Every structure is written in structure tokens, then in C-alpha cells.
Amino acid sequence: MSASVTEHRGDSLKILNLAVITVSDTRTLADDTSGALIVSLAEAQQHAILAREIVPDEPERMRPLLDSYRSRDEIHAVLMTGGTGISPRDQTFETVSALLTKPLPGYGELFRMLSYAEIGPACILSRAVGGLIGKLVILVMPGSRAAVELAMTKIILPELPHLVREARK
């Protein structure tokens, strides 16, 4: 790792305030295992969960929620799971992509690269996406627990403090 990346990481906040959104037409807080895993992994790193929502895969429900988080300065990042596939009902990718002011294409690319090692060419069906909405970091991962674990442990948790630092300069 380069000295500048190490320095930036050292200057980053260690504890972040997060919002977690599960996109699903059928899940509830009682049976949302992917959202629960995001919360568990984030809290294990001492991050605070300020909001947790389950919303249907409908742009008119996602957009106002994401706008409300953007206006809350205390929320550093939104972590979303679900709605990233290619079925006609999956609209999370399009909805979030349209709101991004600064896309981070490397996030989805890295997720698919790491996913390929686990599931092979089926990784092309994943439309993980991330970026900034203003200064709010948003990272969307597929809805499976395996995908959440991969994204959280290999990409998001190691890099999120640095991402937030850069987004809020």
C-alpha cells in the first residue's frame, strides 16, 4: 500500500454513522438476514447504525429516502442491499445510478472480480454500484448473504472510512 493511502486512512474517521437499506418486496426486519449481516459487520467495527429501512424496489420509494439521508449531515454513508439483479422488478441500479453525482465504477468492478472467484461467470448478473450523492457515500450490493459478506469484508469495511474522508474534504 502506498504511503499516501496509508496517510489518508490514518486521518480518516474511525467510527462512522451509517444508514442501511434493504430493497425487497417481501422482507421484514424479522427476516432480513442480509440487512442484519450489514448491521452486525458494521457494528463489529464500532460503526453506528442511525437508520435501517426496508423499501420495495420502486424508484418513487427509494429516491425520497436517499434524498432525506443526503440532507442529514450526521450520516456518512448509506449501505444498500437488494434489487441489483436483471429481472424486470430490479430497479435499484437504475435508481441509484441516476442520483449519483460522482460514480465510483471501481466498486462494482472490484465486487464482480472478487465474486467471480466465488461464483464464476454468474457474477455478470450482479449490478453492484457505488458513488457519491453530494458528499454522502452510497454503496449498493446484491441481496444474498454471501454477496453482502464479500462486499462488506473485502471492500466496504476496509475502505469506507477513507471514502468518507475523501467525500467530505
Side-chain angles (χ1 to χ4, degrees):
M1 188 176 328
S2 76
S4 65
V5 171
T6 303
E7 178 183 321
H8 286 181
R9 283 185 176 164
D11 292 342
S12 301
L13 291 172
K14 302 301 181 229
I15 297 174
L16 301 174
N17 296 324
L18 308 174
V20 176
I21 301 173
T22 298
V23 178
S24 174
D25 294 327
T26 59
R27 296 280 179 219
T28 66
L29 286 177
D31 65 3
D32 174 24
T33 59
S34 292
L37 182 58
I38 293 171
V39 170
S40 174
L41 292 170
E43 287 180 340
Q45 297 288 314
Q46 307 305 309
H47 300 306
I49 308 302
L50 298 190
R52 181 161 178 218
E53 302 281 342
I54 297 179
V55 297
D57 202 341
E58 298 169 2
E60 61 276 5
R61 295 285 299 276
M62 286 185 266
R63 275 190 223 105
L65 183 57
L66 292 171
D67 282 340
S68 75
Y69 291 151
R70 177 176 53 182
S71 67
R72 290 179 58 185
D73 196 50
E74 75 275 14
I75 295 181
H76 298 113
V78 176
L79 305 180
M80 293 180 73
T81 181
T84 63
I86 60 169
S87 78
R89 187 78 182 125
D90 293 320
Q91 300 177 70
T92 304
F93 177 88
E94 288 79 12
T95 303
V96 171
S97 293
L99 295 172
L100 294 178
T101 55
K102 289 196 177 191
L104 293 170
Y107 167 69
E109 293 164 358
L110 180 56
F111 176 81
R112 283 180 288 280
M113 182 192 81
L114 294 170
S115 183
Y116 180 81
E118 293 186 8
I119 64 170
C123 71
I124 67 169
L125 286 109
S126 166
R127 298 186 308 148
V129 63
L132 304 179
I133 301 173
K135 61 183 178 179
L136 178 67
V137 174
I138 181 164
L139 299 168
V140 181
M141 59 202 101
S144 77
R145 280 183 57 86
V148 165
E149 184 171 5
L150 175 70
M152 289 293 289
T153 61
K154 300 291 186 186
I155 305 169
I156 295 172
L157 290 173
E159 197 57 28
L160 190 57
H162 184 208
L163 273 173
V164 169
R165 176 192 184 273
E166 292 299 306
R168 290 185 169 234
K169 275 186 174 180

